[in-house]
Protein backbone atom coordinates (compact mmCIF):
# COMPACT_ATOMS: atom_id res chain seq x y z
CA UNK A 1 0.00 0.00 0.00
CA UNK A 2 1.49 3.32 -1.03
CA UNK A 3 -0.33 5.26 1.71
CA UNK A 4 1.38 3.71 4.70
CA UNK A 5 4.20 1.49 5.90
CA UNK A 6 3.52 -0.86 8.79
CA UNK A 7 6.02 -3.09 10.60
CA UNK A 8 5.18 -5.50 13.42
CA UNK A 9 7.78 -7.13 15.67
CA UNK A 10 6.48 -10.11 17.67
CA UNK A 11 8.02 -12.15 20.49
CA UNK A 12 6.38 -14.80 22.66
CA UNK A 13 7.09 -17.51 25.21
CA UNK A 14 5.10 -20.68 25.89
CA UNK A 15 5.10 -22.50 29.22
CA UNK A 16 3.66 -25.82 30.31
CA UNK A 17 1.67 -25.59 33.52
CA UNK A 18 1.65 -29.06 34.97
CA UNK A 19 0.50 -31.85 32.66
CA UNK A 20 -2.90 -30.34 31.94
CA UNK A 21 -2.36 -26.88 30.47
CA UNK A 22 -0.15 -24.49 28.56
CA UNK A 23 0.14 -20.72 28.63
CA UNK A 24 1.54 -18.55 25.84
CA UNK A 25 2.19 -14.84 26.36
CA UNK A 26 3.64 -12.40 23.88
CA UNK A 27 4.20 -8.80 22.91
CA UNK A 28 3.94 -6.96 19.60
CA UNK A 29 5.58 -3.67 18.73
CA UNK A 30 3.82 -1.83 15.88
CA UNK A 31 5.75 0.80 13.90
CA UNK A 32 3.49 2.85 11.61
CA UNK A 33 4.94 5.16 8.94
CA UNK A 34 8.12 5.35 11.04
CA UNK A 35 6.34 7.94 13.19
CA UNK A 36 3.98 6.14 15.53
CA UNK A 37 4.96 3.20 17.78
CA UNK A 38 2.42 1.24 19.84
CA UNK A 39 3.00 -1.85 22.00
CA UNK A 40 0.35 -4.55 22.35
CA UNK A 41 0.22 -8.01 23.80
CA UNK A 42 -1.56 -11.32 23.70
CA UNK A 43 -2.27 -14.41 25.79
CA UNK A 44 -3.33 -17.91 24.78
CA UNK A 45 -4.15 -20.67 27.28
CA UNK A 46 -5.06 -24.33 26.77
CA UNK A 47 -6.56 -26.32 29.64
CA UNK A 48 -7.34 -30.03 29.51
CA UNK A 49 -10.74 -30.85 30.97
CA UNK A 50 -11.74 -34.44 31.65
CA UNK A 51 -9.84 -36.98 29.60
CA UNK A 52 -9.89 -35.73 25.98
CA UNK A 53 -11.58 -32.32 26.09
CA UNK A 54 -9.91 -28.92 25.99
CA UNK A 55 -10.76 -25.33 26.82
CA UNK A 56 -8.92 -22.62 24.86
CA UNK A 57 -8.83 -18.97 25.88
CA UNK A 58 -7.32 -16.23 23.70
CA UNK A 59 -6.97 -12.45 24.16
CA UNK A 60 -5.06 -9.90 22.11
CA UNK A 61 -4.66 -6.15 22.42
CA UNK A 62 -3.35 -5.09 19.04
CA UNK A 63 -3.26 -2.11 16.73
CA UNK A 64 -4.43 -1.71 13.12
CA UNK A 65 -4.07 1.13 10.61
CA UNK A 66 -7.15 3.33 10.94
CA UNK A 67 -8.63 6.70 10.06
CA UNK A 68 -6.30 9.67 9.89
CA UNK A 69 -3.33 7.44 9.07
CA UNK A 70 -2.96 6.46 12.71
CA UNK A 71 -2.89 3.18 14.61
CA UNK A 72 -6.23 2.25 16.20
CA UNK A 73 -6.53 -0.16 19.13
CA UNK A 74 -8.06 -3.54 18.26
CA UNK A 75 -9.02 -5.95 21.08
CA UNK A 76 -9.90 -9.55 20.20
CA UNK A 77 -10.94 -12.36 22.55
CA UNK A 78 -12.29 -15.87 22.15
CA UNK A 79 -13.17 -18.89 24.26
CA UNK A 80 -13.47 -22.34 22.71
CA UNK A 81 -14.45 -25.67 24.17
CA UNK A 82 -13.61 -28.79 22.17
CA UNK A 83 -15.38 -32.01 23.10
CA UNK A 84 -14.03 -35.33 21.77
CA UNK A 85 -16.51 -38.19 21.56
CA UNK A 86 -15.45 -41.81 21.58
CA UNK A 87 -12.23 -43.47 22.67
CA UNK A 88 -8.93 -41.86 21.92
Amino acid sequence: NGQFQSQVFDESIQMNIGKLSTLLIGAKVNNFNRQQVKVGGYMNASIRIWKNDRLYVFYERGFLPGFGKRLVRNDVASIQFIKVFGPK
Side-chain angles (χ1 to χ4, degrees):
N1 187 334
Q3 296 181 0
F4 62 86
Q5 180 183 15
S6 180
Q7 297 173 326
V8 180
F9 304 97
D10 185 335
E11 190 65 41
S12 64
I13 185 168
Q14 181 172 340
M15 301 165 274
N16 292 327
I17 301 173
K19 295 180 181 181
L20 302 178
S21 50
T22 61
L23 176 67
L24 180 130
I25 54 174
K28 290 184 179 183
V29 178
N30 298 272
N31 184 342
F32 190 70
N33 286 341
R34 296 184 180 176
Q35 297 175 353
Q36 188 178 20
V37 176
K38 297 275 186 176
V39 178
Y42 56 94
M43 181 274 311
N44 187 354
S46 168
I47 304 163
R48 189 173 78 183
I49 300 175
W50 299 294
K51 189 174 181 179
N52 299 322
D53 308 328
R54 288 213 171 258
L55 178 68
Y56 295 96
V57 179
F58 171 77
Y59 175 76
E60 178 179 2
R61 170 163 284 178
F63 295 89
L64 296 173
F67 294 108
K69 297 183 180 179
R70 300 195 53 79
L71 290 172
V72 178
R73 192 170 91 192
N74 180 52
D75 293 332
V76 178
S78 70
I79 298 174
Q80 298 177 12
F81 175 72
I82 298 180
K83 172 76 177 158
V84 177
F85 296 95
K88 184 173 181 183

PDB file of all heavy atoms in Angstrom, residues 43-61:
ATOM      1  N   MET A  43      -2.331 -13.284  24.892  1.00  0.00           N
ATOM      2  CA  MET A  43      -2.270 -14.414  25.794  1.00  0.00           C
ATOM      3  C   MET A  43      -3.125 -15.531  25.201  1.00  0.00           C
ATOM      4  O   MET A  43      -4.201 -15.271  24.659  1.00  0.00           O
ATOM      5  CB  MET A  43      -2.814 -14.005  27.167  1.00  0.00           C
ATOM      6  CG  MET A  43      -2.793 -15.081  28.225  1.00  0.00           C
ATOM      7  SD  MET A  43      -4.184 -16.227  28.316  1.00  0.00           S
ATOM      8  CE  MET A  43      -5.605 -15.221  28.292  1.00  0.00           C
ATOM      9  N   ASN A  44      -2.616 -16.749  25.276  1.00  0.00           N
ATOM     10  CA  ASN A  44      -3.330 -17.908  24.784  1.00  0.00           C
ATOM     11  C   ASN A  44      -3.143 -19.015  25.813  1.00  0.00           C
ATOM     12  O   ASN A  44      -2.011 -19.324  26.181  1.00  0.00           O
ATOM     13  CB  ASN A  44      -2.762 -18.326  23.426  1.00  0.00           C
ATOM     14  CG  ASN A  44      -3.544 -19.427  22.763  1.00  0.00           C
ATOM     15  OD1 ASN A  44      -4.460 -19.986  23.346  1.00  0.00           O
ATOM     16  ND2 ASN A  44      -3.177 -19.749  21.548  1.00  0.00           N
ATOM     17  N   ALA A  45      -4.241 -19.606  26.293  1.00  0.00           N
ATOM     18  CA  ALA A  45      -4.148 -20.673  27.281  1.00  0.00           C
ATOM     19  C   ALA A  45      -4.936 -21.887  26.793  1.00  0.00           C
ATOM     20  O   ALA A  45      -5.972 -21.751  26.155  1.00  0.00           O
ATOM     21  CB  ALA A  45      -4.707 -20.214  28.626  1.00  0.00           C
ATOM     22  N   SER A  46      -4.410 -23.062  27.094  1.00  0.00           N
ATOM     23  CA  SER A  46      -5.057 -24.331  26.768  1.00  0.00           C
ATOM     24  C   SER A  46      -5.139 -25.145  28.050  1.00  0.00           C
ATOM     25  O   SER A  46      -4.119 -25.367  28.707  1.00  0.00           O
ATOM     26  CB  SER A  46      -4.244 -25.077  25.710  1.00  0.00           C
ATOM     27  OG  SER A  46      -4.701 -26.401  25.579  1.00  0.00           O
ATOM     28  N   ILE A  47      -6.354 -25.586  28.399  1.00  0.00           N
ATOM     29  CA  ILE A  47      -6.562 -26.318  29.643  1.00  0.00           C
ATOM     30  C   ILE A  47      -7.277 -27.626  29.315  1.00  0.00           C
ATOM     31  O   ILE A  47      -8.339 -27.614  28.683  1.00  0.00           O
ATOM     32  CB  ILE A  47      -7.411 -25.497  30.631  1.00  0.00           C
ATOM     33  CG1 ILE A  47      -6.746 -24.149  30.880  1.00  0.00           C
ATOM     34  CG2 ILE A  47      -7.618 -26.267  31.927  1.00  0.00           C
ATOM     35  CD1 ILE A  47      -7.658 -23.111  31.489  1.00  0.00           C
ATOM     36  N   ARG A  48      -6.686 -28.739  29.729  1.00  0.00           N
ATOM     37  CA  ARG A  48      -7.341 -30.031  29.505  1.00  0.00           C
ATOM     38  C   ARG A  48      -8.417 -30.224  30.558  1.00  0.00           C
ATOM     39  O   ARG A  48      -8.178 -30.044  31.749  1.00  0.00           O
ATOM     40  CB  ARG A  48      -6.340 -31.176  29.560  1.00  0.00           C
ATOM     41  CG  ARG A  48      -6.980 -32.489  29.103  1.00  0.00           C
ATOM     42  CD  ARG A  48      -5.966 -33.578  28.982  1.00  0.00           C
ATOM     43  NE  ARG A  48      -5.664 -34.077  30.330  1.00  0.00           N
ATOM     44  CZ  ARG A  48      -4.782 -35.000  30.598  1.00  0.00           C
ATOM     45  NH1 ARG A  48      -4.054 -35.523  29.631  1.00  0.00           N
ATOM     46  NH2 ARG A  48      -4.567 -35.390  31.826  1.00  0.00           N
ATOM     47  N   ILE A  49      -9.608 -30.596  30.085  1.00  0.00           N
ATOM     48  CA  ILE A  49     -10.741 -30.849  30.970  1.00  0.00           C
ATOM     49  C   ILE A  49     -11.194 -32.279  30.712  1.00  0.00           C
ATOM     50  O   ILE A  49     -11.350 -32.681  29.564  1.00  0.00           O
ATOM     51  CB  ILE A  49     -11.886 -29.858  30.689  1.00  0.00           C
ATOM     52  CG1 ILE A  49     -11.386 -28.434  30.912  1.00  0.00           C
ATOM     53  CG2 ILE A  49     -13.094 -30.173  31.540  1.00  0.00           C
ATOM     54  CD1 ILE A  49     -12.370 -27.371  30.547  1.00  0.00           C
ATOM     55  N   TRP A  50     -11.420 -33.019  31.748  1.00  0.00           N
ATOM     56  CA  TRP A  50     -11.740 -34.435  31.648  1.00  0.00           C
ATOM     57  C   TRP A  50     -10.608 -35.158  30.941  1.00  0.00           C
ATOM     58  O   TRP A  50      -9.454 -34.749  31.045  1.00  0.00           O
ATOM     59  CB  TRP A  50     -13.110 -34.664  31.002  1.00  0.00           C
ATOM     60  CG  TRP A  50     -14.206 -34.033  31.809  1.00  0.00           C
ATOM     61  CD1 TRP A  50     -14.594 -34.401  33.071  1.00  0.00           C
ATOM     62  CD2 TRP A  50     -14.998 -32.908  31.473  1.00  0.00           C
ATOM     63  NE1 TRP A  50     -15.583 -33.568  33.511  1.00  0.00           N
ATOM     64  CE2 TRP A  50     -15.858 -32.645  32.547  1.00  0.00           C
ATOM     65  CE3 TRP A  50     -15.076 -32.099  30.353  1.00  0.00           C
ATOM     66  CZ2 TRP A  50     -16.775 -31.626  32.544  1.00  0.00           C
ATOM     67  CZ3 TRP A  50     -15.996 -31.081  30.347  1.00  0.00           C
ATOM     68  CH2 TRP A  50     -16.829 -30.856  31.434  1.00  0.00           C
ATOM     69  N   LYS A  51     -10.915 -36.188  30.179  1.00  0.00           N
ATOM     70  CA  LYS A  51      -9.841 -36.985  29.595  1.00  0.00           C
ATOM     71  C   LYS A  51      -9.351 -36.443  28.249  1.00  0.00           C
ATOM     72  O   LYS A  51      -8.155 -36.312  28.025  1.00  0.00           O
ATOM     73  CB  LYS A  51     -10.309 -38.429  29.426  1.00  0.00           C
ATOM     74  CG  LYS A  51      -9.205 -39.364  29.027  1.00  0.00           C
ATOM     75  CD  LYS A  51      -9.686 -40.791  29.022  1.00  0.00           C
ATOM     76  CE  LYS A  51      -8.553 -41.730  28.629  1.00  0.00           C
ATOM     77  NZ  LYS A  51      -8.975 -43.115  28.632  1.00  0.00           N
ATOM     78  N   ASN A  52     -10.280 -36.114  27.334  1.00  0.00           N
ATOM     79  CA  ASN A  52      -9.888 -35.726  25.979  1.00  0.00           C
ATOM     80  C   ASN A  52     -10.320 -34.316  25.587  1.00  0.00           C
ATOM     81  O   ASN A  52     -10.067 -33.896  24.473  1.00  0.00           O
ATOM     82  CB  ASN A  52     -10.489 -36.704  24.958  1.00  0.00           C
ATOM     83  CG  ASN A  52     -10.002 -38.121  25.163  1.00  0.00           C
ATOM     84  OD1 ASN A  52      -8.843 -38.331  25.493  1.00  0.00           O
ATOM     85  ND2 ASN A  52     -10.877 -39.085  24.984  1.00  0.00           N
ATOM     86  N   ASP A  53     -10.999 -33.609  26.446  1.00  0.00           N
ATOM     87  CA  ASP A  53     -11.577 -32.323  26.090  1.00  0.00           C
ATOM     88  C   ASP A  53     -10.639 -31.183  26.476  1.00  0.00           C
ATOM     89  O   ASP A  53      -9.848 -31.294  27.404  1.00  0.00           O
ATOM     90  CB  ASP A  53     -12.925 -32.145  26.790  1.00  0.00           C
ATOM     91  CG  ASP A  53     -13.846 -33.331  26.550  1.00  0.00           C
ATOM     92  OD1 ASP A  53     -13.744 -33.929  25.462  1.00  0.00           O
ATOM     93  OD2 ASP A  53     -14.640 -33.664  27.438  1.00  0.00           O
ATOM     94  N   ARG A  54     -10.776 -30.076  25.735  1.00  0.00           N
ATOM     95  CA  ARG A  54      -9.909 -28.920  25.986  1.00  0.00           C
ATOM     96  C   ARG A  54     -10.701 -27.623  25.978  1.00  0.00           C
ATOM     97  O   ARG A  54     -11.660 -27.467  25.226  1.00  0.00           O
ATOM     98  CB  ARG A  54      -8.813 -28.826  24.931  1.00  0.00           C
ATOM     99  CG  ARG A  54      -7.767 -29.877  25.082  1.00  0.00           C
ATOM    100  CD  ARG A  54      -6.415 -29.345  24.659  1.00  0.00           C
ATOM    101  NE  ARG A  54      -5.386 -30.283  25.000  1.00  0.00           N
ATOM    102  CZ  ARG A  54      -4.573 -30.156  26.042  1.00  0.00           C
ATOM    103  NH1 ARG A  54      -4.674 -29.117  26.816  1.00  0.00           N
ATOM    104  NH2 ARG A  54      -3.656 -31.044  26.295  1.00  0.00           N
ATOM    105  N   LEU A  55     -10.241 -26.688  26.787  1.00  0.00           N
ATOM    106  CA  LEU A  55     -10.759 -25.328  26.817  1.00  0.00           C
ATOM    107  C   LEU A  55      -9.625 -24.411  26.376  1.00  0.00           C
ATOM    108  O   LEU A  55      -8.509 -24.484  26.907  1.00  0.00           O
ATOM    109  CB  LEU A  55     -11.217 -24.954  28.232  1.00  0.00           C
ATOM    110  CG  LEU A  55     -11.749 -23.542  28.425  1.00  0.00           C
ATOM    111  CD1 LEU A  55     -13.076 -23.388  27.691  1.00  0.00           C
ATOM    112  CD2 LEU A  55     -11.909 -23.233  29.892  1.00  0.00           C
ATOM    113  N   TYR A  56      -9.900 -23.571  25.374  1.00  0.00           N
ATOM    114  CA  TYR A  56      -8.916 -22.622  24.856  1.00  0.00           C
ATOM    115  C   TYR A  56      -9.406 -21.198  25.128  1.00  0.00           C
ATOM    116  O   TYR A  56     -10.571 -20.890  24.874  1.00  0.00           O
ATOM    117  CB  TYR A  56      -8.729 -22.794  23.344  1.00  0.00           C
ATOM    118  CG  TYR A  56      -8.132 -24.114  22.951  1.00  0.00           C
ATOM    119  CD1 TYR A  56      -8.939 -25.172  22.563  1.00  0.00           C
ATOM    120  CD2 TYR A  56      -6.758 -24.306  22.952  1.00  0.00           C
ATOM    121  CE1 TYR A  56      -8.394 -26.396  22.197  1.00  0.00           C
ATOM    122  CE2 TYR A  56      -6.202 -25.517  22.591  1.00  0.00           C
ATOM    123  CZ  TYR A  56      -7.033 -26.557  22.213  1.00  0.00           C
ATOM    124  OH  TYR A  56      -6.482 -27.759  21.853  1.00  0.00           O
ATOM    125  N   VAL A  57      -8.516 -20.365  25.613  1.00  0.00           N
ATOM    126  CA  VAL A  57      -8.826 -18.966  25.885  1.00  0.00           C
ATOM    127  C   VAL A  57      -7.775 -18.117  25.176  1.00  0.00           C
ATOM    128  O   VAL A  57      -6.575 -18.389  25.285  1.00  0.00           O
ATOM    129  CB  VAL A  57      -8.817 -18.671  27.402  1.00  0.00           C
ATOM    130  CG1 VAL A  57      -9.113 -17.209  27.670  1.00  0.00           C
ATOM    131  CG2 VAL A  57      -9.796 -19.568  28.133  1.00  0.00           C
ATOM    132  N   PHE A  58      -8.241 -17.081  24.450  1.00  0.00           N
ATOM    133  CA  PHE A  58      -7.323 -16.227  23.698  1.00  0.00           C
ATOM    134  C   PHE A  58      -7.726 -14.765  23.895  1.00  0.00           C
ATOM    135  O   PHE A  58      -8.909 -14.433  23.884  1.00  0.00           O
ATOM    136  CB  PHE A  58      -7.380 -16.569  22.201  1.00  0.00           C
ATOM    137  CG  PHE A  58      -6.624 -15.606  21.333  1.00  0.00           C
ATOM    138  CD1 PHE A  58      -5.248 -15.660  21.246  1.00  0.00           C
ATOM    139  CD2 PHE A  58      -7.290 -14.642  20.608  1.00  0.00           C
ATOM    140  CE1 PHE A  58      -4.546 -14.769  20.448  1.00  0.00           C
ATOM    141  CE2 PHE A  58      -6.606 -13.746  19.804  1.00  0.00           C
ATOM    142  CZ  PHE A  58      -5.226 -13.815  19.726  1.00  0.00           C
ATOM    143  N   TYR A  59      -6.737 -13.893  24.088  1.00  0.00           N
ATOM    144  CA  TYR A  59      -6.975 -12.448  24.158  1.00  0.00           C
ATOM    145  C   TYR A  59      -5.799 -11.731  23.512  1.00  0.00           C
ATOM    146  O   TYR A  59      -4.640 -12.101  23.735  1.00  0.00           O
ATOM    147  CB  TYR A  59      -7.135 -11.967  25.600  1.00  0.00           C
ATOM    148  CG  TYR A  59      -7.256 -10.469  25.690  1.00  0.00           C
ATOM    149  CD1 TYR A  59      -8.436  -9.839  25.337  1.00  0.00           C
ATOM    150  CD2 TYR A  59      -6.182  -9.688  26.078  1.00  0.00           C
ATOM    151  CE1 TYR A  59      -8.545  -8.456  25.384  1.00  0.00           C
ATOM    152  CE2 TYR A  59      -6.280  -8.312  26.136  1.00  0.00           C
ATOM    153  CZ  TYR A  59      -7.473  -7.705  25.787  1.00  0.00           C
ATOM    154  OH  TYR A  59      -7.572  -6.343  25.823  1.00  0.00           O
ATOM    155  N   GLU A  60      -6.102 -10.710  22.716  1.00  0.00           N
ATOM    156  CA  GLU A  60      -5.057  -9.900  22.109  1.00  0.00           C
ATOM    157  C   GLU A  60      -5.453  -8.427  22.136  1.00  0.00           C
ATOM    158  O   GLU A  60      -6.572  -8.073  21.801  1.00  0.00           O
ATOM    159  CB  GLU A  60      -4.816 -10.299  20.654  1.00  0.00           C
ATOM    160  CG  GLU A  60      -3.768  -9.435  19.982  1.00  0.00           C
ATOM    161  CD  GLU A  60      -3.486  -9.825  18.531  1.00  0.00           C
ATOM    162  OE1 GLU A  60      -4.137 -10.754  18.030  1.00  0.00           O
ATOM    163  OE2 GLU A  60      -2.617  -9.184  17.926  1.00  0.00           O
ATOM    164  N   ARG A  61      -4.527  -7.598  22.551  1.00  0.00           N
ATOM    165  CA  ARG A  61      -4.663  -6.150  22.418  1.00  0.00           C
ATOM    166  C   ARG A  61      -3.667  -5.725  21.350  1.00  0.00           C
ATOM    167  O   ARG A  61      -2.466  -5.724  21.575  1.00  0.00           O
ATOM    168  CB  ARG A  61      -4.371  -5.433  23.714  1.00  0.00           C
ATOM    169  CG  ARG A  61      -4.278  -3.905  23.484  1.00  0.00           C
ATOM    170  CD  ARG A  61      -4.393  -3.119  24.727  1.00  0.00           C
ATOM    171  NE  ARG A  61      -5.801  -3.128  25.105  1.00  0.00           N
ATOM    172  CZ  ARG A  61      -6.258  -2.549  26.198  1.00  0.00           C
ATOM    173  NH1 ARG A  61      -5.448  -1.945  27.007  1.00  0.00           N
ATOM    174  NH2 ARG A  61      -7.538  -2.591  26.479  1.00  0.00           N
TER     175      ARG A  61
END
